[in-house]
Amino acid sequence: MPDKQCALCRETVEVLELSHIVPKFVVRYLKKTSVSAIRNLDNPDRVVQDSEKHYLLCGKCEDLFSTYETKFANTFFHPYMSGEKKEFPYDKDIYYFLTSLSWRSLYLDILDFVQHSKEVDIDVETLECLIDREGRMRRYLLKEEEKVEGIEHHIFFFEDIQSIMQELVDTRPHATMHRSIGSYTFFNKELKTYATITNMMGIVLFTLYNKGDREILVNTEITNGEGVIKASNQKLAGACGNELLDMLKNAKELASKISDKQRKVINERVESRMEEFQRSKMFEDLSKDFNL
């Protein structure tokens, strides 16, 4: 068997771990709280048992990341999902976790951007910026450097909304954001903002690699130290806000591609578990969307 190189430490090993891009604890919670099946984003007719995974890290680096994932899961994710907390103290461990999360997406997306540079229309300046930030993040994650210059982490909590633009009502914003996961890197050449966005069922992480002058992010930043972030009085505008709106629109488009046969399967499954469905988070979110 040919040796493989770990994307983080660059050591050569016989076997790479199959790493989740969105952490496993998020995927588990989504599956546990879902009445219907989880569907593939590229092919919504296809049911999947897990989220996106890649052979990326050696066992040592995977274990290194897992410690920080557990802390975020216990102090941020599960308390927020259960409604127990709206205020979250953080420290350097949380910053490390957020860096590791966005680094995975950025590393893989750079490979894709290089391979398909014409299709994605990425320029040399943008690509060089992303490559530079990936290298800085990697050295920080390996604990070769104490901080990461040139990036910012922002967490936006997608809280309940009372109103939304009419054109977005049928995107089902509560159900879309609270019942989905995903992570990818985007670049807005007009606004000069490059970032990775990760949705963890309504906990939305933006890691900025270049921040345009028109970005507005209020009460969202997680710094490399100690602080407190609250799921209230947050504001998002600019390229990051646009990306969130695009996420809603794309989810609507994907939902429209589900075949009649699969719609029937979904409806039958829900009807057979109606009492459970009416107690579910999905039903709660759909009710909020219906009242917009």
Side-chain angles (χ1 to χ4, degrees), residues 80 92 118 289:
Y80 182 72
K92 289 187 176 183
K118 290 184 178 179
D289 290 333

Side-chain angles (χ1 to χ4, degrees), residues 154-270:
H154 294 264
I155 286 183
F156 180 79
F157 296 93
F158 196 92
E159 288 283 273
D160 294 348
I161 55 179
Q162 304 303 316
S163 62
I164 196 171
M165 291 181 291
Q166 188 61 38
E167 63 181 285
L168 295 174
V169 169
D170 58 357
T171 64
R172 305 187 306 178
H174 293 96
T176 296
M177 296 305 300
H178 294 161
R179 305 305 305 167
S180 67
I181 57 177
S183 184
Y184 61 89
T185 303
F186 68 91
F187 51 93
N188 187 312
K189 290 191 284 188
E190 179 186 354
L191 297 178
K192 294 292 182 183
T193 292
Y194 324 140
T196 294
I197 178 174
T198 303
N199 179 31
M200 295 176 281
M201 300 181 67
I203 301 177
V204 187
L205 168 65
F206 291 93
T207 297
L208 277 70
Y209 311 118
N210 197 74
K211 185 179 179 181
D213 294 336
R214 284 184 272 176
E215 291 306 304
I216 298 174
L217 297 121
V218 178
N219 297 325
T220 57
E221 188 169 7
I222 301 285
T223 59
N224 190 11
E226 295 184 351
V228 176
I229 188 169
K230 300 178 182 180
S232 62
N233 300 317
Q234 294 185 305
K235 185 176 180 181
L236 195 66
C240 292
N242 292 344
E243 203 64 34
L244 207 59
L245 296 179
D246 286 344
M247 188 176 281
L248 292 173
K249 294 174 183 176
N250 291 339
K252 176 188 173 184
E253 183 180 349
L254 287 168
S256 70
K257 294 179 180 179
I258 299 176
S259 66
D260 291 340
K261 179 180 179 180
Q262 283 301 310
R263 288 183 191 280
K264 183 179 179 181
V265 170
I266 294 169
N267 290 336
E268 289 175 350
R269 182 180 178 86
V270 170

Side-chain angles (χ1 to χ4, degrees), residues 72-87:
F72 183 86
N74 292 337
T75 60
F76 267 71
F77 183 78
H78 290 301
Y80 182 72
M81 290 297 124
S82 66
E84 293 174 14
K85 292 174 63 176
K86 296 290 184 180
E87 184 174 315

Side-chain angles (χ1 to χ4, degrees), residues 79-113:
Y80 182 72
M81 290 297 124
S82 66
E84 293 174 14
K85 292 174 63 176
K86 296 290 184 180
E87 184 174 315
F88 305 91
Y90 66 83
D91 58 18
K92 289 187 176 183
D93 288 350
I94 298 301
Y95 183 91
Y96 185 98
F97 163 73
L98 299 178
T99 305
S100 72
L101 179 56
S102 292
W103 171 81
R104 296 184 198 210
S105 278
L106 178 60
Y107 173 84
L108 291 167
D109 288 336
I110 287 173
L111 296 179
D112 185 64
F113 293 160

